[in-house]
PDB file of all heavy atoms in Angstrom:
ATOM      1  N   PRO A  91      50.245  -9.045  82.546  1.00  0.00           N
ATOM      2  CA  PRO A  91      49.609 -10.364  82.591  1.00  0.00           C
ATOM      3  C   PRO A  91      49.536 -11.017  81.213  1.00  0.00           C
ATOM      4  O   PRO A  91      49.286 -10.350  80.208  1.00  0.00           O
ATOM      5  CB  PRO A  91      48.206 -10.079  83.127  1.00  0.00           C
ATOM      6  CG  PRO A  91      48.285  -8.741  83.760  1.00  0.00           C
ATOM      7  CD  PRO A  91      49.370  -7.995  83.047  1.00  0.00           C
ATOM      8  N   LEU A  92      49.767 -12.304  81.191  1.00  0.00           N
ATOM      9  CA  LEU A  92      49.645 -13.085  79.969  1.00  0.00           C
ATOM     10  C   LEU A  92      48.171 -13.437  79.762  1.00  0.00           C
ATOM     11  O   LEU A  92      47.382 -13.388  80.705  1.00  0.00           O
ATOM     12  CB  LEU A  92      50.501 -14.343  80.068  1.00  0.00           C
ATOM     13  CG  LEU A  92      52.003 -14.079  80.079  1.00  0.00           C
ATOM     14  CD1 LEU A  92      52.779 -15.337  80.456  1.00  0.00           C
ATOM     15  CD2 LEU A  92      52.469 -13.553  78.727  1.00  0.00           C
ATOM     16  N   PRO A  93      47.794 -13.788  78.536  1.00  0.00           N
ATOM     17  CA  PRO A  93      46.389 -14.123  78.278  1.00  0.00           C
ATOM     18  C   PRO A  93      45.890 -15.244  79.189  1.00  0.00           C
ATOM     19  O   PRO A  93      46.649 -16.124  79.600  1.00  0.00           O
ATOM     20  CB  PRO A  93      46.399 -14.578  76.818  1.00  0.00           C
ATOM     21  CG  PRO A  93      47.592 -13.902  76.222  1.00  0.00           C
ATOM     22  CD  PRO A  93      48.606 -13.845  77.323  1.00  0.00           C
ATOM     23  N   SER A  94      44.604 -15.202  79.472  1.00  0.00           N
ATOM     24  CA  SER A  94      43.958 -16.235  80.274  1.00  0.00           C
ATOM     25  C   SER A  94      44.224 -17.602  79.639  1.00  0.00           C
ATOM     26  O   SER A  94      44.217 -17.736  78.414  1.00  0.00           O
ATOM     27  CB  SER A  94      42.455 -15.958  80.321  1.00  0.00           C
ATOM     28  OG  SER A  94      41.800 -16.977  81.013  1.00  0.00           O
ATOM     29  N   GLY A  95      44.459 -18.591  80.471  1.00  0.00           N
ATOM     30  CA  GLY A  95      44.733 -19.934  79.962  1.00  0.00           C
ATOM     31  C   GLY A  95      46.195 -20.213  79.710  1.00  0.00           C
ATOM     32  O   GLY A  95      46.548 -21.280  79.211  1.00  0.00           O
ATOM     33  N   THR A  96      47.062 -19.263  80.058  1.00  0.00           N
ATOM     34  CA  THR A  96      48.505 -19.462  79.895  1.00  0.00           C
ATOM     35  C   THR A  96      49.066 -20.034  81.183  1.00  0.00           C
ATOM     36  O   THR A  96      48.864 -19.473  82.255  1.00  0.00           O
ATOM     37  CB  THR A  96      49.225 -18.138  79.568  1.00  0.00           C
ATOM     38  OG1 THR A  96      48.665 -17.597  78.359  1.00  0.00           O
ATOM     39  CG2 THR A  96      50.717 -18.357  79.380  1.00  0.00           C
ATOM     40  N   GLU A  97      49.767 -21.150  81.060  1.00  0.00           N
ATOM     41  CA  GLU A  97      50.396 -21.786  82.215  1.00  0.00           C
ATOM     42  C   GLU A  97      51.906 -21.747  82.051  1.00  0.00           C
ATOM     43  O   GLU A  97      52.431 -22.076  80.989  1.00  0.00           O
ATOM     44  CB  GLU A  97      49.919 -23.227  82.352  1.00  0.00           C
ATOM     45  CG  GLU A  97      48.438 -23.326  82.649  1.00  0.00           C
ATOM     46  CD  GLU A  97      47.948 -24.763  82.746  1.00  0.00           C
ATOM     47  OE1 GLU A  97      48.770 -25.680  82.918  1.00  0.00           O
ATOM     48  OE2 GLU A  97      46.716 -24.957  82.641  1.00  0.00           O
ATOM     49  N   LEU A  98      52.592 -21.337  83.108  1.00  0.00           N
ATOM     50  CA  LEU A  98      54.051 -21.300  83.134  1.00  0.00           C
ATOM     51  C   LEU A  98      54.534 -22.451  84.008  1.00  0.00           C
ATOM     52  O   LEU A  98      54.037 -22.616  85.123  1.00  0.00           O
ATOM     53  CB  LEU A  98      54.538 -19.966  83.711  1.00  0.00           C
ATOM     54  CG  LEU A  98      54.051 -18.701  82.989  1.00  0.00           C
ATOM     55  CD1 LEU A  98      54.476 -17.461  83.762  1.00  0.00           C
ATOM     56  CD2 LEU A  98      54.574 -18.662  81.569  1.00  0.00           C
ATOM     57  N   ALA A  99      55.495 -23.222  83.498  1.00  0.00           N
ATOM     58  CA  ALA A  99      55.944 -24.397  84.250  1.00  0.00           C
ATOM     59  C   ALA A  99      57.425 -24.650  84.054  1.00  0.00           C
ATOM     60  O   ALA A  99      57.980 -24.410  82.985  1.00  0.00           O
ATOM     61  CB  ALA A  99      55.156 -25.625  83.806  1.00  0.00           C
ATOM     62  N   GLN A 100      58.050 -25.147  85.104  1.00  0.00           N
ATOM     63  CA  GLN A 100      59.436 -25.604  85.050  1.00  0.00           C
ATOM     64  C   GLN A 100      59.427 -27.121  85.021  1.00  0.00           C
ATOM     65  O   GLN A 100      58.620 -27.749  85.705  1.00  0.00           O
ATOM     66  CB  GLN A 100      60.215 -25.114  86.270  1.00  0.00           C
ATOM     67  CG  GLN A 100      60.327 -23.611  86.336  1.00  0.00           C
ATOM     68  CD  GLN A 100      60.947 -23.128  87.633  1.00  0.00           C
ATOM     69  OE1 GLN A 100      60.748 -23.706  88.686  1.00  0.00           O
ATOM     70  NE2 GLN A 100      61.682 -22.031  87.549  1.00  0.00           N
ATOM     71  N   SER A 101      60.317 -27.704  84.224  1.00  0.00           N
ATOM     72  CA  SER A 101      60.367 -29.157  84.093  1.00  0.00           C
ATOM     73  C   SER A 101      61.808 -29.628  84.046  1.00  0.00           C
ATOM     74  O   SER A 101      62.682 -28.933  83.509  1.00  0.00           O
ATOM     75  CB  SER A 101      59.650 -29.587  82.810  1.00  0.00           C
ATOM     76  OG  SER A 101      59.798 -30.976  82.599  1.00  0.00           O
ATOM     77  N   ASP A 102      62.018 -30.830  84.588  1.00  0.00           N
ATOM     78  CA  ASP A 102      63.342 -31.431  84.494  1.00  0.00           C
ATOM     79  C   ASP A 102      63.534 -32.150  83.163  1.00  0.00           C
ATOM     80  O   ASP A 102      64.590 -32.694  82.889  1.00  0.00           O
ATOM     81  CB  ASP A 102      63.582 -32.394  85.663  1.00  0.00           C
ATOM     82  CG  ASP A 102      62.585 -33.539  85.703  1.00  0.00           C
ATOM     83  OD1 ASP A 102      61.721 -33.658  84.796  1.00  0.00           O
ATOM     84  OD2 ASP A 102      62.652 -34.341  86.663  1.00  0.00           O
ATOM     85  N   GLY A 103      62.514 -32.157  82.320  1.00  0.00           N
ATOM     86  CA  GLY A 103      62.615 -32.774  81.005  1.00  0.00           C
ATOM     87  C   GLY A 103      62.098 -34.196  80.939  1.00  0.00           C
ATOM     88  O   GLY A 103      62.131 -34.822  79.880  1.00  0.00           O
ATOM     89  N   ASP A 104      61.598 -34.728  82.059  1.00  0.00           N
ATOM     90  CA  ASP A 104      61.045 -36.074  82.040  1.00  0.00           C
ATOM     91  C   ASP A 104      59.908 -36.129  81.018  1.00  0.00           C
ATOM     92  O   ASP A 104      58.997 -35.295  81.067  1.00  0.00           O
ATOM     93  CB  ASP A 104      60.512 -36.438  83.430  1.00  0.00           C
ATOM     94  CG  ASP A 104      59.787 -37.767  83.424  1.00  0.00           C
ATOM     95  OD1 ASP A 104      60.472 -38.810  83.434  1.00  0.00           O
ATOM     96  OD2 ASP A 104      58.533 -37.757  83.376  1.00  0.00           O
ATOM     97  N   PRO A 105      59.955 -37.092  80.069  1.00  0.00           N
ATOM     98  CA  PRO A 105      58.928 -37.142  79.022  1.00  0.00           C
ATOM     99  C   PRO A 105      57.501 -37.209  79.551  1.00  0.00           C
ATOM    100  O   PRO A 105      56.613 -36.523  79.028  1.00  0.00           O
ATOM    101  CB  PRO A 105      59.278 -38.412  78.235  1.00  0.00           C
ATOM    102  CG  PRO A 105      60.748 -38.567  78.425  1.00  0.00           C
ATOM    103  CD  PRO A 105      61.004 -38.098  79.835  1.00  0.00           C
ATOM    104  N   GLY A 106      57.242 -37.990  80.572  1.00  0.00           N
ATOM    105  CA  GLY A 106      55.889 -38.085  81.124  1.00  0.00           C
ATOM    106  C   GLY A 106      55.398 -36.766  81.669  1.00  0.00           C
ATOM    107  O   GLY A 106      54.240 -36.377  81.464  1.00  0.00           O
ATOM    108  N   ARG A 107      56.270 -36.046  82.358  1.00  0.00           N
ATOM    109  CA  ARG A 107      55.876 -34.748  82.913  1.00  0.00           C
ATOM    110  C   ARG A 107      55.678 -33.716  81.799  1.00  0.00           C
ATOM    111  O   ARG A 107      54.755 -32.900  81.860  1.00  0.00           O
ATOM    112  CB  ARG A 107      56.901 -34.276  83.935  1.00  0.00           C
ATOM    113  CG  ARG A 107      56.792 -35.042  85.255  1.00  0.00           C
ATOM    114  CD  ARG A 107      57.647 -34.450  86.354  1.00  0.00           C
ATOM    115  NE  ARG A 107      59.057 -34.794  86.253  1.00  0.00           N
ATOM    116  CZ  ARG A 107      59.595 -35.913  86.734  1.00  0.00           C
ATOM    117  NH1 ARG A 107      58.843 -36.808  87.345  1.00  0.00           N
ATOM    118  NH2 ARG A 107      60.890 -36.144  86.633  1.00  0.00           N
ATOM    119  N   LEU A 108      56.539 -33.752  80.774  1.00  0.00           N
ATOM    120  CA  LEU A 108      56.360 -32.818  79.657  1.00  0.00           C
ATOM    121  C   LEU A 108      55.018 -33.056  78.969  1.00  0.00           C
ATOM    122  O   LEU A 108      54.277 -32.106  78.700  1.00  0.00           O
ATOM    123  CB  LEU A 108      57.498 -32.966  78.637  1.00  0.00           C
ATOM    124  CG  LEU A 108      58.837 -32.396  79.050  1.00  0.00           C
ATOM    125  CD1 LEU A 108      59.916 -32.784  78.043  1.00  0.00           C
ATOM    126  CD2 LEU A 108      58.754 -30.883  79.170  1.00  0.00           C
ATOM    127  N   ILE A 109      54.711 -34.315  78.704  1.00  0.00           N
ATOM    128  CA  ILE A 109      53.450 -34.639  78.034  1.00  0.00           C
ATOM    129  C   ILE A 109      52.269 -34.124  78.852  1.00  0.00           C
ATOM    130  O   ILE A 109      51.331 -33.537  78.306  1.00  0.00           O
ATOM    131  CB  ILE A 109      53.351 -36.157  77.776  1.00  0.00           C
ATOM    132  CG1 ILE A 109      54.380 -36.570  76.703  1.00  0.00           C
ATOM    133  CG2 ILE A 109      51.932 -36.549  77.344  1.00  0.00           C
ATOM    134  CD1 ILE A 109      54.560 -38.071  76.550  1.00  0.00           C
ATOM    135  N   SER A 110      52.320 -34.298  80.159  1.00  0.00           N
ATOM    136  CA  SER A 110      51.200 -33.826  80.990  1.00  0.00           C
ATOM    137  C   SER A 110      51.090 -32.305  80.982  1.00  0.00           C
ATOM    138  O   SER A 110      49.997 -31.765  81.145  1.00  0.00           O
ATOM    139  CB  SER A 110      51.319 -34.358  82.427  1.00  0.00           C
ATOM    140  OG  SER A 110      52.381 -33.728  83.105  1.00  0.00           O
ATOM    141  N   LEU A 111      52.190 -31.601  80.771  1.00  0.00           N
ATOM    142  CA  LEU A 111      52.157 -30.135  80.744  1.00  0.00           C
ATOM    143  C   LEU A 111      51.598 -29.587  79.434  1.00  0.00           C
ATOM    144  O   LEU A 111      50.900 -28.577  79.432  1.00  0.00           O
ATOM    145  CB  LEU A 111      53.561 -29.564  80.990  1.00  0.00           C
ATOM    146  CG  LEU A 111      54.111 -29.737  82.392  1.00  0.00           C
ATOM    147  CD1 LEU A 111      55.602 -29.373  82.434  1.00  0.00           C
ATOM    148  CD2 LEU A 111      53.324 -28.898  83.388  1.00  0.00           C
ATOM    149  N   TRP A 112      51.898 -30.233  78.298  1.00  0.00           N
ATOM    150  CA  TRP A 112      51.439 -29.688  77.023  1.00  0.00           C
ATOM    151  C   TRP A 112      50.174 -30.352  76.487  1.00  0.00           C
ATOM    152  O   TRP A 112      49.556 -29.848  75.559  1.00  0.00           O
ATOM    153  CB  TRP A 112      52.531 -29.702  75.966  1.00  0.00           C
ATOM    154  CG  TRP A 112      52.990 -31.045  75.472  1.00  0.00           C
ATOM    155  CD1 TRP A 112      52.219 -32.108  75.049  1.00  0.00           C
ATOM    156  CD2 TRP A 112      54.337 -31.460  75.303  1.00  0.00           C
ATOM    157  NE1 TRP A 112      53.004 -33.136  74.647  1.00  0.00           N
ATOM    158  CE2 TRP A 112      54.317 -32.779  74.790  1.00  0.00           C
ATOM    159  CE3 TRP A 112      55.559 -30.843  75.531  1.00  0.00           C
ATOM    160  CZ2 TRP A 112      55.480 -33.487  74.506  1.00  0.00           C
ATOM    161  CZ3 TRP A 112      56.719 -31.559  75.247  1.00  0.00           C
ATOM    162  CH2 TRP A 112      56.680 -32.862  74.744  1.00  0.00           C
ATOM    163  N   GLU A 113      49.756 -31.437  77.080  1.00  0.00           N
ATOM    164  CA  GLU A 113      48.580 -32.144  76.573  1.00  0.00           C
ATOM    165  C   GLU A 113      47.354 -31.236  76.591  1.00  0.00           C
ATOM    166  O   GLU A 113      47.032 -30.606  77.599  1.00  0.00           O
ATOM    167  CB  GLU A 113      48.313 -33.396  77.408  1.00  0.00           C
ATOM    168  CG  GLU A 113      47.226 -34.265  76.813  1.00  0.00           C
ATOM    169  CD  GLU A 113      47.094 -35.592  77.524  1.00  0.00           C
ATOM    170  OE1 GLU A 113      47.512 -35.716  78.683  1.00  0.00           O
ATOM    171  OE2 GLU A 113      46.558 -36.515  76.901  1.00  0.00           O
ATOM    172  N   GLY A 114      46.665 -31.166  75.459  1.00  0.00           N
ATOM    173  CA  GLY A 114      45.452 -30.368  75.340  1.00  0.00           C
ATOM    174  C   GLY A 114      45.676 -28.895  75.080  1.00  0.00           C
ATOM    175  O   GLY A 114      44.719 -28.142  74.929  1.00  0.00           O
TER     176      GLY A 114
END
Side-chain angles (χ1 to χ4, degrees):
L92 292 169
S94 176
T96 301
E97 295 178 18
L98 303 173
Q100 296 173 325
S101 174
D102 60 3
D104 174 79
R107 285 189 281 275
L108 286 172
I109 291 169
S110 71
L111 290 169
W112 68 48
E113 188 172 22

